[in-house]
Amino acid sequence: MASSTLFSNFSLKGESFDIKALNPNKEFKFNALNLMNRLPVKAMLSSEFMYSRLLTDENSLKWGQSERLLRNRMQCHAVEVEKMPVNSMGKKFQLDDVIEAQQFDRETLNAIFEVAKEMEKIEKKSPGSQILKGYLMATLFYEPSTRTRLSFESAMKRLGDTIRTVEGYSDIIVMRHFESGAAKQAAATAGIPIINAGDGPGQHPTQALLDVYTIEREVGKLDGIKVGLVGDLANGRTVRSLAYLLTKYQDVKIYFVSPDVVKMKDDIKDYLTSMGVEWEESADLMEVASKCDVVYQTRIQRERFGERIGLYEEARGKYIVDKNVLKVMQKHAVIMHPLPRLDEITVEVDGDPRAAYFRQAKNGLYIRMALLKLLLVGW
């Protein structure tokens, strides 16, 4: 791939991106940009990186240019490495995009996990791997406005314009949006792969993949497990996607533990029932923790409560994983969390070997490396 010319000002239907200061989402940047770097080159991104081209030769790495871009609620990032690999294409991955957890069957999950294990070896032993050399990844990150929110139809129209424009500069797009269903709409518009990095309260399929991968590595199995999903189950896209993926395995039981105001929605419960997966709602975290192989804690999401501050405060402190929960948990069981946390897991838990959430986060790197490799290069 020839190096593309970077732009300092970009017009879209007569509207320009303005060069402004920005407080980027570092967690998202780690999950998308850092892993992309690890595959083609060993590099570090500055905290203010927004759009940059990587120029490499055999012995050196330098920044071509770095700019910061902001348009309304969108952040646009891109990373490119010169020169397309020769004869590196494998058998085509069966999925064109990664949008929702329902796309995956058990066989595909197992295969992805094997690739993730290969990526772990590359990350540890061959950080200069050239697997994705020559490819360009763009990340689009939409943030909700505190002002009047645009209607869904208007937001989707602008999303389509942006996707069609950005795909001209990249080979793959990683996107996070505040509206459920946004990634699916983008995939219908784009001619290149789309990875859903979270769409509002909808789904977060890459998180679910790394969660299932972590459970297999920590517990040693996926069939016959009991999983307790705790916290904000109504708005938590991670637990929704995880519930969908767990239906691919046999004899799984899921417990839902949450304040009444953020209970798991009926669509997930109905889906689990239709797939023959046993589920149960409980108000007793201690009892559930004593039975489960996995306690999956989530934060209560303040941003979903609007002006209902009282309800948020009531829900926030209801279920806390602390040393008392550890005492009733089985020795082989683990505690997981999609991070970041607030106070729903106390820091005293961090030192317990059953606290798997930091290892879980690390696994996210390998899973996302695997997905990029599969979507761009193939098996």
mmCIF file with all atom_site columns, all heavy atoms in Angstrom, residues 73 140-144 152 155-156 159 175-183 196-202 237 304:
data_model
loop_
_atom_site.group_PDB
_atom_site.id
_atom_site.type_symbol
_atom_site.label_atom_id
_atom_site.label_alt_id
_atom_site.label_comp_id
_atom_site.label_asym_id
_atom_site.label_entity_id
_atom_site.label_seq_id
_atom_site.pdbx_PDB_ins_code
_atom_site.Cartn_x
_atom_site.Cartn_y
_atom_site.Cartn_z
_atom_site.occupancy
_atom_site.B_iso_or_equiv
_atom_site.pdbx_formal_charge
_atom_site.auth_seq_id
_atom_site.auth_comp_id
_atom_site.auth_asym_id
_atom_site.auth_atom_id
_atom_site.pdbx_PDB_model_num
ATOM 1   N N   . ARG A 1 73  ? -19.309 14.837 18.279 1.00 0.00 ? 73  ARG A N   1
ATOM 2   C CA  . ARG A 1 73  ? -19.004 13.833 19.283 1.00 0.00 ? 73  ARG A CA  1
ATOM 3   C C   . ARG A 1 73  ? -18.085 12.741 18.762 1.00 0.00 ? 73  ARG A C   1
ATOM 4   O O   . ARG A 1 73  ? -18.014 11.672 19.329 1.00 0.00 ? 73  ARG A O   1
ATOM 5   C CB  . ARG A 1 73  ? -20.310 13.199 19.790 1.00 0.00 ? 73  ARG A CB  1
ATOM 6   C CG  . ARG A 1 73  ? -21.131 14.141 20.612 1.00 0.00 ? 73  ARG A CG  1
ATOM 7   C CD  . ARG A 1 73  ? -22.544 13.629 20.776 1.00 0.00 ? 73  ARG A CD  1
ATOM 8   N NE  . ARG A 1 73  ? -23.176 13.461 19.485 1.00 0.00 ? 73  ARG A NE  1
ATOM 9   C CZ  . ARG A 1 73  ? -23.707 14.464 18.800 1.00 0.00 ? 73  ARG A CZ  1
ATOM 10  N NH1 . ARG A 1 73  ? -23.671 15.683 19.275 1.00 0.00 ? 73  ARG A NH1 1
ATOM 11  N NH2 . ARG A 1 73  ? -24.265 14.255 17.626 1.00 0.00 ? 73  ARG A NH2 1
ATOM 12  N N   . LEU A 1 140 ? -13.281 5.114  15.058 1.00 0.00 ? 140 LEU A N   1
ATOM 13  C CA  . LEU A 1 140 ? -14.256 6.193  15.215 1.00 0.00 ? 140 LEU A CA  1
ATOM 14  C C   . LEU A 1 140 ? -14.883 6.059  16.595 1.00 0.00 ? 140 LEU A C   1
ATOM 15  O O   . LEU A 1 140 ? -15.425 5.010  16.937 1.00 0.00 ? 140 LEU A O   1
ATOM 16  C CB  . LEU A 1 140 ? -15.345 6.101  14.142 1.00 0.00 ? 140 LEU A CB  1
ATOM 17  C CG  . LEU A 1 140 ? -14.881 6.187  12.690 1.00 0.00 ? 140 LEU A CG  1
ATOM 18  C CD1 . LEU A 1 140 ? -16.083 6.122  11.761 1.00 0.00 ? 140 LEU A CD1 1
ATOM 19  C CD2 . LEU A 1 140 ? -14.087 7.448  12.447 1.00 0.00 ? 140 LEU A CD2 1
ATOM 20  N N   . PHE A 1 141 ? -14.835 7.133  17.345 1.00 0.00 ? 141 PHE A N   1
ATOM 21  C CA  . PHE A 1 141 ? -15.349 7.103  18.708 1.00 0.00 ? 141 PHE A CA  1
ATOM 22  C C   . PHE A 1 141 ? -16.333 8.248  18.894 1.00 0.00 ? 141 PHE A C   1
ATOM 23  O O   . PHE A 1 141 ? -15.954 9.405  18.942 1.00 0.00 ? 141 PHE A O   1
ATOM 24  C CB  . PHE A 1 141 ? -14.195 7.219  19.703 1.00 0.00 ? 141 PHE A CB  1
ATOM 25  C CG  . PHE A 1 141 ? -14.608 7.061  21.129 1.00 0.00 ? 141 PHE A CG  1
ATOM 26  C CD1 . PHE A 1 141 ? -15.123 5.874  21.591 1.00 0.00 ? 141 PHE A CD1 1
ATOM 27  C CD2 . PHE A 1 141 ? -14.481 8.115  22.017 1.00 0.00 ? 141 PHE A CD2 1
ATOM 28  C CE1 . PHE A 1 141 ? -15.488 5.721  22.904 1.00 0.00 ? 141 PHE A CE1 1
ATOM 29  C CE2 . PHE A 1 141 ? -14.855 7.978  23.345 1.00 0.00 ? 141 PHE A CE2 1
ATOM 30  C CZ  . PHE A 1 141 ? -15.363 6.773  23.789 1.00 0.00 ? 141 PHE A CZ  1
ATOM 31  N N   . TYR A 1 142 ? -17.607 7.900  18.963 1.00 0.00 ? 142 TYR A N   1
ATOM 32  C CA  . TYR A 1 142 ? -18.657 8.898  19.138 1.00 0.00 ? 142 TYR A CA  1
ATOM 33  C C   . TYR A 1 142 ? -18.975 9.007  20.624 1.00 0.00 ? 142 TYR A C   1
ATOM 34  O O   . TYR A 1 142 ? -19.116 7.985  21.307 1.00 0.00 ? 142 TYR A O   1
ATOM 35  C CB  . TYR A 1 142 ? -19.924 8.495  18.391 1.00 0.00 ? 142 TYR A CB  1
ATOM 36  C CG  . TYR A 1 142 ? -19.804 8.569  16.894 1.00 0.00 ? 142 TYR A CG  1
ATOM 37  C CD1 . TYR A 1 142 ? -19.145 7.579  16.182 1.00 0.00 ? 142 TYR A CD1 1
ATOM 38  C CD2 . TYR A 1 142 ? -20.346 9.626  16.179 1.00 0.00 ? 142 TYR A CD2 1
ATOM 39  C CE1 . TYR A 1 142 ? -19.029 7.635  14.807 1.00 0.00 ? 142 TYR A CE1 1
ATOM 40  C CE2 . TYR A 1 142 ? -20.241 9.694  14.803 1.00 0.00 ? 142 TYR A CE2 1
ATOM 41  C CZ  . TYR A 1 142 ? -19.587 8.694  14.131 1.00 0.00 ? 142 TYR A CZ  1
ATOM 42  O OH  . TYR A 1 142 ? -19.468 8.754  12.760 1.00 0.00 ? 142 TYR A OH  1
ATOM 43  N N   . GLU A 1 143 ? -19.149 10.218 21.110 1.00 0.00 ? 143 GLU A N   1
ATOM 44  C CA  . GLU A 1 143 ? -19.484 10.433 22.506 1.00 0.00 ? 143 GLU A CA  1
ATOM 45  C C   . GLU A 1 143 ? -20.825 11.143 22.608 1.00 0.00 ? 143 GLU A C   1
ATOM 46  O O   . GLU A 1 143 ? -21.110 12.047 21.817 1.00 0.00 ? 143 GLU A O   1
ATOM 47  C CB  . GLU A 1 143 ? -18.412 11.289 23.192 1.00 0.00 ? 143 GLU A CB  1
ATOM 48  C CG  . GLU A 1 143 ? -17.067 10.615 23.278 1.00 0.00 ? 143 GLU A CG  1
ATOM 49  C CD  . GLU A 1 143 ? -16.028 11.501 23.933 1.00 0.00 ? 143 GLU A CD  1
ATOM 50  O OE1 . GLU A 1 143 ? -16.188 12.733 23.867 1.00 0.00 ? 143 GLU A OE1 1
ATOM 51  O OE2 . GLU A 1 143 ? -15.071 10.964 24.503 1.00 0.00 ? 143 GLU A OE2 1
ATOM 52  N N   . PRO A 1 144 ? -21.640 10.798 23.584 1.00 0.00 ? 144 PRO A N   1
ATOM 53  C CA  . PRO A 1 144 ? -22.926 11.474 23.749 1.00 0.00 ? 144 PRO A CA  1
ATOM 54  C C   . PRO A 1 144 ? -22.734 12.917 24.177 1.00 0.00 ? 144 PRO A C   1
ATOM 55  O O   . PRO A 1 144 ? -21.832 13.240 24.924 1.00 0.00 ? 144 PRO A O   1
ATOM 56  C CB  . PRO A 1 144 ? -23.609 10.660 24.853 1.00 0.00 ? 144 PRO A CB  1
ATOM 57  C CG  . PRO A 1 144 ? -22.489 10.032 25.609 1.00 0.00 ? 144 PRO A CG  1
ATOM 58  C CD  . PRO A 1 144 ? -21.408 9.766  24.610 1.00 0.00 ? 144 PRO A CD  1
ATOM 59  N N   . PHE A 1 152 ? -32.326 9.764  16.408 1.00 0.00 ? 152 PHE A N   1
ATOM 60  C CA  . PHE A 1 152 ? -31.589 8.600  15.943 1.00 0.00 ? 152 PHE A CA  1
ATOM 61  C C   . PHE A 1 152 ? -31.420 8.631  14.428 1.00 0.00 ? 152 PHE A C   1
ATOM 62  O O   . PHE A 1 152 ? -30.359 8.313  13.894 1.00 0.00 ? 152 PHE A O   1
ATOM 63  C CB  . PHE A 1 152 ? -32.332 7.324  16.354 1.00 0.00 ? 152 PHE A CB  1
ATOM 64  C CG  . PHE A 1 152 ? -31.612 6.061  15.989 1.00 0.00 ? 152 PHE A CG  1
ATOM 65  C CD1 . PHE A 1 152 ? -30.521 5.632  16.721 1.00 0.00 ? 152 PHE A CD1 1
ATOM 66  C CD2 . PHE A 1 152 ? -32.012 5.304  14.914 1.00 0.00 ? 152 PHE A CD2 1
ATOM 67  C CE1 . PHE A 1 152 ? -29.846 4.474  16.390 1.00 0.00 ? 152 PHE A CE1 1
ATOM 68  C CE2 . PHE A 1 152 ? -31.352 4.139  14.567 1.00 0.00 ? 152 PHE A CE2 1
ATOM 69  C CZ  . PHE A 1 152 ? -30.260 3.721  15.306 1.00 0.00 ? 152 PHE A CZ  1
ATOM 70  N N   . ALA A 1 155 ? -28.674 11.089 13.460 1.00 0.00 ? 155 ALA A N   1
ATOM 71  C CA  . ALA A 1 155 ? -27.363 10.564 13.849 1.00 0.00 ? 155 ALA A CA  1
ATOM 72  C C   . ALA A 1 155 ? -26.908 9.486  12.873 1.00 0.00 ? 155 ALA A C   1
ATOM 73  O O   . ALA A 1 155 ? -25.744 9.422  12.486 1.00 0.00 ? 155 ALA A O   1
ATOM 74  C CB  . ALA A 1 155 ? -27.426 10.006 15.271 1.00 0.00 ? 155 ALA A CB  1
ATOM 75  N N   . MET A 1 156 ? -27.845 8.616  12.454 1.00 0.00 ? 156 MET A N   1
ATOM 76  C CA  . MET A 1 156 ? -27.491 7.543  11.539 1.00 0.00 ? 156 MET A CA  1
ATOM 77  C C   . MET A 1 156 ? -27.142 8.086  10.159 1.00 0.00 ? 156 MET A C   1
ATOM 78  O O   . MET A 1 156 ? -26.278 7.549  9.466  1.00 0.00 ? 156 MET A O   1
ATOM 79  C CB  . MET A 1 156 ? -28.637 6.534  11.421 1.00 0.00 ? 156 MET A CB  1
ATOM 80  C CG  . MET A 1 156 ? -28.799 5.665  12.652 1.00 0.00 ? 156 MET A CG  1
ATOM 81  S SD  . MET A 1 156 ? -27.306 4.706  13.059 1.00 0.00 ? 156 MET A SD  1
ATOM 82  C CE  . MET A 1 156 ? -26.585 5.707  14.346 1.00 0.00 ? 156 MET A CE  1
ATOM 83  N N   . LEU A 1 159 ? -23.708 9.316  10.423 1.00 0.00 ? 159 LEU A N   1
ATOM 84  C CA  . LEU A 1 159 ? -22.827 8.167  10.595 1.00 0.00 ? 159 LEU A CA  1
ATOM 85  C C   . LEU A 1 159 ? -22.507 7.555  9.242  1.00 0.00 ? 159 LEU A C   1
ATOM 86  O O   . LEU A 1 159 ? -21.362 7.237  8.945  1.00 0.00 ? 159 LEU A O   1
ATOM 87  C CB  . LEU A 1 159 ? -23.488 7.131  11.505 1.00 0.00 ? 159 LEU A CB  1
ATOM 88  C CG  . LEU A 1 159 ? -22.747 5.804  11.684 1.00 0.00 ? 159 LEU A CG  1
ATOM 89  C CD1 . LEU A 1 159 ? -21.405 6.046  12.328 1.00 0.00 ? 159 LEU A CD1 1
ATOM 90  C CD2 . LEU A 1 159 ? -23.582 4.856  12.517 1.00 0.00 ? 159 LEU A CD2 1
ATOM 91  N N   . MET A 1 175 ? -15.275 0.954  15.762 1.00 0.00 ? 175 MET A N   1
ATOM 92  C CA  . MET A 1 175 ? -16.195 2.031  16.080 1.00 0.00 ? 175 MET A CA  1
ATOM 93  C C   . MET A 1 175 ? -16.901 1.821  17.412 1.00 0.00 ? 175 MET A C   1
ATOM 94  O O   . MET A 1 175 ? -17.331 0.715  17.734 1.00 0.00 ? 175 MET A O   1
ATOM 95  C CB  . MET A 1 175 ? -17.255 2.151  14.977 1.00 0.00 ? 175 MET A CB  1
ATOM 96  C CG  . MET A 1 175 ? -18.132 3.389  15.104 1.00 0.00 ? 175 MET A CG  1
ATOM 97  S SD  . MET A 1 175 ? -19.424 3.436  13.829 1.00 0.00 ? 175 MET A SD  1
ATOM 98  C CE  . MET A 1 175 ? -20.614 2.328  14.562 1.00 0.00 ? 175 MET A CE  1
ATOM 99  N N   . ARG A 1 176 ? -16.984 2.902  18.180 1.00 0.00 ? 176 ARG A N   1
ATOM 100 C CA  . ARG A 1 176 ? -17.820 2.926  19.384 1.00 0.00 ? 176 ARG A CA  1
ATOM 101 C C   . ARG A 1 176 ? -18.832 4.056  19.232 1.00 0.00 ? 176 ARG A C   1
ATOM 102 O O   . ARG A 1 176 ? -18.487 5.149  18.795 1.00 0.00 ? 176 ARG A O   1
ATOM 103 C CB  . ARG A 1 176 ? -16.974 3.135  20.644 1.00 0.00 ? 176 ARG A CB  1
ATOM 104 C CG  . ARG A 1 176 ? -17.816 3.277  21.910 1.00 0.00 ? 176 ARG A CG  1
ATOM 105 C CD  . ARG A 1 176 ? -16.942 3.294  23.157 1.00 0.00 ? 176 ARG A CD  1
ATOM 106 N NE  . ARG A 1 176 ? -16.376 1.974  23.395 1.00 0.00 ? 176 ARG A NE  1
ATOM 107 C CZ  . ARG A 1 176 ? -15.578 1.709  24.424 1.00 0.00 ? 176 ARG A CZ  1
ATOM 108 N NH1 . ARG A 1 176 ? -15.227 2.657  25.273 1.00 0.00 ? 176 ARG A NH1 1
ATOM 109 N NH2 . ARG A 1 176 ? -15.096 0.491  24.601 1.00 0.00 ? 176 ARG A NH2 1
ATOM 110 N N   . HIS A 1 177 ? -20.075 3.767  19.584 1.00 0.00 ? 177 HIS A N   1
ATOM 111 C CA  . HIS A 1 177 ? -21.140 4.759  19.408 1.00 0.00 ? 177 HIS A CA  1
ATOM 112 C C   . HIS A 1 177 ? -22.088 4.688  20.600 1.00 0.00 ? 177 HIS A C   1
ATOM 113 O O   . HIS A 1 177 ? -22.193 3.665  21.260 1.00 0.00 ? 177 HIS A O   1
ATOM 114 C CB  . HIS A 1 177 ? -21.904 4.483  18.105 1.00 0.00 ? 177 HIS A CB  1
ATOM 115 C CG  . HIS A 1 177 ? -22.668 5.648  17.581 1.00 0.00 ? 177 HIS A CG  1
ATOM 116 N ND1 . HIS A 1 177 ? -23.921 5.975  18.045 1.00 0.00 ? 177 HIS A ND1 1
ATOM 117 C CD2 . HIS A 1 177 ? -22.360 6.563  16.639 1.00 0.00 ? 177 HIS A CD2 1
ATOM 118 C CE1 . HIS A 1 177 ? -24.351 7.052  17.395 1.00 0.00 ? 177 HIS A CE1 1
ATOM 119 N NE2 . HIS A 1 177 ? -23.429 7.434  16.536 1.00 0.00 ? 177 HIS A NE2 1
ATOM 120 N N   . PHE A 1 178 ? -22.778 5.779  20.851 1.00 0.00 ? 178 PHE A N   1
ATOM 121 C CA  . PHE A 1 178 ? -23.664 5.835  22.012 1.00 0.00 ? 178 PHE A CA  1
ATOM 122 C C   . PHE A 1 178 ? -25.065 5.320  21.721 1.00 0.00 ? 178 PHE A C   1
ATOM 123 O O   . PHE A 1 178 ? -25.889 5.228  22.630 1.00 0.00 ? 178 PHE A O   1
ATOM 124 C CB  . PHE A 1 178 ? -23.736 7.269  22.564 1.00 0.00 ? 178 PHE A CB  1
ATOM 125 C CG  . PHE A 1 178 ? -24.152 8.302  21.561 1.00 0.00 ? 178 PHE A CG  1
ATOM 126 C CD1 . PHE A 1 178 ? -25.491 8.595  21.363 1.00 0.00 ? 178 PHE A CD1 1
ATOM 127 C CD2 . PHE A 1 178 ? -23.207 8.979  20.831 1.00 0.00 ? 178 PHE A CD2 1
ATOM 128 C CE1 . PHE A 1 178 ? -25.872 9.552  20.439 1.00 0.00 ? 178 PHE A CE1 1
ATOM 129 C CE2 . PHE A 1 178 ? -23.570 9.942  19.908 1.00 0.00 ? 178 PHE A CE2 1
ATOM 130 C CZ  . PHE A 1 178 ? -24.916 10.229 19.708 1.00 0.00 ? 178 PHE A CZ  1
ATOM 131 N N   . GLU A 1 179 ? -25.359 4.969  20.461 1.00 0.00 ? 179 GLU A N   1
ATOM 132 C CA  . GLU A 1 179 ? -26.672 4.460  20.107 1.00 0.00 ? 179 GLU A CA  1
ATOM 133 C C   . GLU A 1 179 ? -26.598 2.962  19.818 1.00 0.00 ? 179 GLU A C   1
ATOM 134 O O   . GLU A 1 179 ? -25.748 2.503  19.060 1.00 0.00 ? 179 GLU A O   1
ATOM 135 C CB  . GLU A 1 179 ? -27.228 5.186  18.876 1.00 0.00 ? 179 GLU A CB  1
ATOM 136 C CG  . GLU A 1 179 ? -27.558 6.655  19.098 1.00 0.00 ? 179 GLU A CG  1
ATOM 137 C CD  . GLU A 1 179 ? -28.827 6.857  19.892 1.00 0.00 ? 179 GLU A CD  1
ATOM 138 O OE1 . GLU A 1 179 ? -29.451 5.852  20.296 1.00 0.00 ? 179 GLU A OE1 1
ATOM 139 O OE2 . GLU A 1 179 ? -29.202 8.016  20.131 1.00 0.00 ? 179 GLU A OE2 1
ATOM 140 N N   . SER A 1 180 ? -27.521 2.203  20.394 1.00 0.00 ? 180 SER A N   1
ATOM 141 C CA  . SER A 1 180 ? -27.608 0.777  20.105 1.00 0.00 ? 180 SER A CA  1
ATOM 142 C C   . SER A 1 180 ? -27.950 0.573  18.632 1.00 0.00 ? 180 SER A C   1
ATOM 143 O O   . SER A 1 180 ? -28.831 1.228  18.095 1.00 0.00 ? 180 SER A O   1
ATOM 144 C CB  . SER A 1 180 ? -28.685 0.141  20.991 1.00 0.00 ? 180 SER A CB  1
ATOM 145 O OG  . SER A 1 180 ? -28.808 -1.230 20.723 1.00 0.00 ? 180 SER A OG  1
ATOM 146 N N   . GLY A 1 181 ? -27.244 -0.341 17.981 1.00 0.00 ? 181 GLY A N   1
ATOM 147 C CA  . GLY A 1 181 ? -27.495 -0.615 16.579 1.00 0.00 ? 181 GLY A CA  1
ATOM 148 C C   . GLY A 1 181 ? -26.657 0.190  15.608 1.00 0.00 ? 181 GLY A C   1
ATOM 149 O O   . GLY A 1 181 ? -26.722 -0.026 14.394 1.00 0.00 ? 181 GLY A O   1
ATOM 150 N N   . ALA A 1 182 ? -25.851 1.126  16.111 1.00 0.00 ? 182 ALA A N   1
ATOM 151 C CA  . ALA A 1 182 ? -25.054 1.983  15.239 1.00 0.00 ? 182 ALA A CA  1
ATOM 152 C C   . ALA A 1 182 ? -24.044 1.183  14.420 1.00 0.00 ? 182 ALA A C   1
ATOM 153 O O   . ALA A 1 182 ? -23.830 1.458  13.236 1.00 0.00 ? 182 ALA A O   1
ATOM 154 C CB  . ALA A 1 182 ? -24.342 3.051  16.064 1.00 0.00 ? 182 ALA A CB  1
ATOM 155 N N   . ALA A 1 183 ? -23.405 0.206  15.035 1.00 0.00 ? 183 ALA A N   1
ATOM 156 C CA  . ALA A 1 183 ? -22.381 -0.573 14.327 1.00 0.00 ? 183 ALA A CA  1
ATOM 157 C C   . ALA A 1 183 ? -22.998 -1.375 13.187 1.00 0.00 ? 183 ALA A C   1
ATOM 158 O O   . ALA A 1 183 ? -22.400 -1.500 12.109 1.00 0.00 ? 183 ALA A O   1
ATOM 159 C CB  . ALA A 1 183 ? -21.663 -1.500 15.307 1.00 0.00 ? 183 ALA A CB  1
ATOM 160 N N   . ASN A 1 196 ? -17.382 -3.641 16.056 1.00 0.00 ? 196 ASN A N   1
ATOM 161 C CA  . ASN A 1 196 ? -18.173 -2.923 17.050 1.00 0.00 ? 196 ASN A CA  1
ATOM 162 C C   . ASN A 1 196 ? -17.425 -2.919 18.380 1.00 0.00 ? 196 ASN A C   1
ATOM 163 O O   . ASN A 1 196 ? -17.264 -3.947 19.023 1.00 0.00 ? 196 ASN A O   1
ATOM 164 C CB  . ASN A 1 196 ? -19.534 -3.600 17.209 1.00 0.00 ? 196 ASN A CB  1
ATOM 165 C CG  . ASN A 1 196 ? -20.420 -2.914 18.229 1.00 0.00 ? 196 ASN A CG  1
ATOM 166 O OD1 . ASN A 1 196 ? -20.097 -1.838 18.734 1.00 0.00 ? 196 ASN A OD1 1
ATOM 167 N ND2 . ASN A 1 196 ? -21.544 -3.536 18.545 1.00 0.00 ? 196 ASN A ND2 1
ATOM 168 N N   . ALA A 1 197 ? -16.983 -1.744 18.800 1.00 0.00 ? 197 ALA A N   1
ATOM 169 C CA  . ALA A 1 197 ? -16.295 -1.598 20.087 1.00 0.00 ? 197 ALA A CA  1
ATOM 170 C C   . ALA A 1 197 ? -17.243 -1.092 21.156 1.00 0.00 ? 197 ALA A C   1
ATOM 171 O O   . ALA A 1 197 ? -16.817 -0.506 22.147 1.00 0.00 ? 197 ALA A O   1
ATOM 172 C CB  . ALA A 1 197 ? -15.110 -0.647 19.939 1.00 0.00 ? 197 ALA A CB  1
ATOM 173 N N   . GLY A 1 198 ? -18.527 -1.331 20.975 1.00 0.00 ? 198 GLY A N   1
ATOM 174 C CA  . GLY A 1 198 ? -19.542 -0.921 21.935 1.00 0.00 ? 198 GLY A CA  1
ATOM 175 C C   . GLY A 1 198 ? -20.523 0.044  21.308 1.00 0.00 ? 198 GLY A C   1
ATOM 176 O O   . GLY A 1 198 ? -20.123 1.069  20.763 1.00 0.00 ? 198 GLY A O   1
ATOM 177 N N   . ASP A 1 199 ? -21.819 -0.311 21.356 1.00 0.00 ? 199 ASP A N   1
ATOM 178 C CA  . ASP A 1 199 ? -22.834 0.592  20.823 1.00 0.00 ? 199 ASP A CA  1
ATOM 179 C C   . ASP A 1 199 ? -23.892 0.856  21.895 1.00 0.00 ? 199 ASP A C   1
ATOM 180 O O   . ASP A 1 199 ? -24.882 0.164  22.012 1.00 0.00 ? 199 ASP A O   1
ATOM 181 C CB  . ASP A 1 199 ? -23.462 0.058  19.531 1.00 0.00 ? 199 ASP A CB  1
ATOM 182 C CG  . ASP A 1 199 ? -24.080 -1.326 19.675 1.00 0.00 ? 199 ASP A CG  1
ATOM 183 O OD1 . ASP A 1 199 ? -23.775 -2.014 20.673 1.00 0.00 ? 199 ASP A OD1 1
ATOM 184 O OD2 . ASP A 1 199 ? -24.888 -1.706 18.809 1.00 0.00 ? 199 ASP A OD2 1
ATOM 185 N N   . GLY A 1 200 ? -23.625 1.900  22.692 1.00 0.00 ? 200 GLY A N   1
ATOM 186 C CA  . GLY A 1 200 ? -24.555 2.280  23.757 1.00 0.00 ? 200 GLY A CA  1
ATOM 187 C C   . GLY A 1 200 ? -24.849 1.108  24.668 1.00 0.00 ? 200 GLY A C   1
ATOM 188 O O   . GLY A 1 200 ? -23.954 0.352  25.045 1.00 0.00 ? 200 GLY A O   1
ATOM 189 N N   . PRO A 1 201 ? -26.129 0.909  25.011 1.00 0.00 ? 201 PRO A N   1
ATOM 190 C CA  . PRO A 1 201 ? -26.494 -0.225 25.858 1.00 0.00 ? 201 PRO A CA  1
ATOM 191 C C   . PRO A 1 201 ? -26.723 -1.505 25.066 1.00 0.00 ? 201 PRO A C   1
ATOM 192 O O   . PRO A 1 201 ? -27.269 -2.475 25.576 1.00 0.00 ? 201 PRO A O   1
ATOM 193 C CB  . PRO A 1 201 ? -27.806 0.246  26.502 1.00 0.00 ? 201 PRO A CB  1
ATOM 194 C CG  . PRO A 1 201 ? -28.422 1.119  25.458 1.00 0.00 ? 201 PRO A CG  1
ATOM 195 C CD  . PRO A 1 201 ? -27.267 1.808  24.763 1.00 0.00 ? 201 PRO A CD  1
ATOM 196 N N   . GLY A 1 202 ? -26.294 -1.520 23.810 1.00 0.00 ? 202 GLY A N   1
ATOM 197 C CA  . GLY A 1 202 ? -26.538 -2.671 22.940 1.00 0.00 ? 202 GLY A CA  1
ATOM 198 C C   . GLY A 1 202 ? -25.601 -3.823 23.202 1.00 0.00 ? 202 GLY A C   1
ATOM 199 O O   . GLY A 1 202 ? -25.869 -4.691 24.035 1.00 0.00 ? 202 GLY A O   1
ATOM 200 N N   . ARG A 1 237 ? -23.670 -3.362 28.295 1.00 0.00 ? 237 ARG A N   1
ATOM 201 C CA  . ARG A 1 237 ? -23.565 -4.075 27.028 1.00 0.00 ? 237 ARG A CA  1
ATOM 202 C C   . ARG A 1 237 ? -22.651 -5.285 27.138 1.00 0.00 ? 237 ARG A C   1
ATOM 203 O O   . ARG A 1 237 ? -22.798 -6.258 26.386 1.00 0.00 ? 237 ARG A O   1
ATOM 204 C CB  . ARG A 1 237 ? -23.073 -3.128 25.941 1.00 0.00 ? 237 ARG A CB  1
ATOM 205 C CG  . ARG A 1 237 ? -21.760 -2.445 26.243 1.00 0.00 ? 237 ARG A CG  1
ATOM 206 C CD  . ARG A 1 237 ? -21.524 -1.274 25.313 1.00 0.00 ? 237 ARG A CD  1
ATOM 207 N NE  . ARG A 1 237 ? -20.316 -0.534 25.691 1.00 0.00 ? 237 ARG A NE  1
ATOM 208 C CZ  . ARG A 1 237 ? -20.134 0.747  25.424 1.00 0.00 ? 237 ARG A CZ  1
ATOM 209 N NH1 . ARG A 1 237 ? -21.067 1.432  24.817 1.00 0.00 ? 237 ARG A NH1 1
ATOM 210 N NH2 . ARG A 1 237 ? -19.005 1.340  25.775 1.00 0.00 ? 237 ARG A NH2 1
ATOM 211 N N   . ARG A 1 304 ? -26.446 6.573  32.676 1.00 0.00 ? 304 ARG A N   1
ATOM 212 C CA  . ARG A 1 304 ? -27.738 6.045  32.221 1.00 0.00 ? 304 ARG A CA  1
ATOM 213 C C   . ARG A 1 304 ? -28.905 6.507  33.091 1.00 0.00 ? 304 ARG A C   1
ATOM 214 O O   . ARG A 1 304 ? -30.056 6.233  32.765 1.00 0.00 ? 304 ARG A O   1
ATOM 215 C CB  . ARG A 1 304 ? -27.710 4.511  32.221 1.00 0.00 ? 304 ARG A CB  1
ATOM 216 C CG  . ARG A 1 304 ? -26.546 3.899  31.471 1.00 0.00 ? 304 ARG A CG  1
ATOM 217 C CD  . ARG A 1 304 ? -26.582 4.184  30.005 1.00 0.00 ? 304 ARG A CD  1
ATOM 218 N NE  . ARG A 1 304 ? -25.466 3.532  29.312 1.00 0.00 ? 304 ARG A NE  1
ATOM 219 C CZ  . ARG A 1 304 ? -25.148 3.737  28.045 1.00 0.00 ? 304 ARG A CZ  1
ATOM 220 N NH1 . ARG A 1 304 ? -25.857 4.581  27.326 1.00 0.00 ? 304 ARG A NH1 1
ATOM 221 N NH2 . ARG A 1 304 ? -24.116 3.123  27.501 1.00 0.00 ? 304 ARG A NH2 1
#
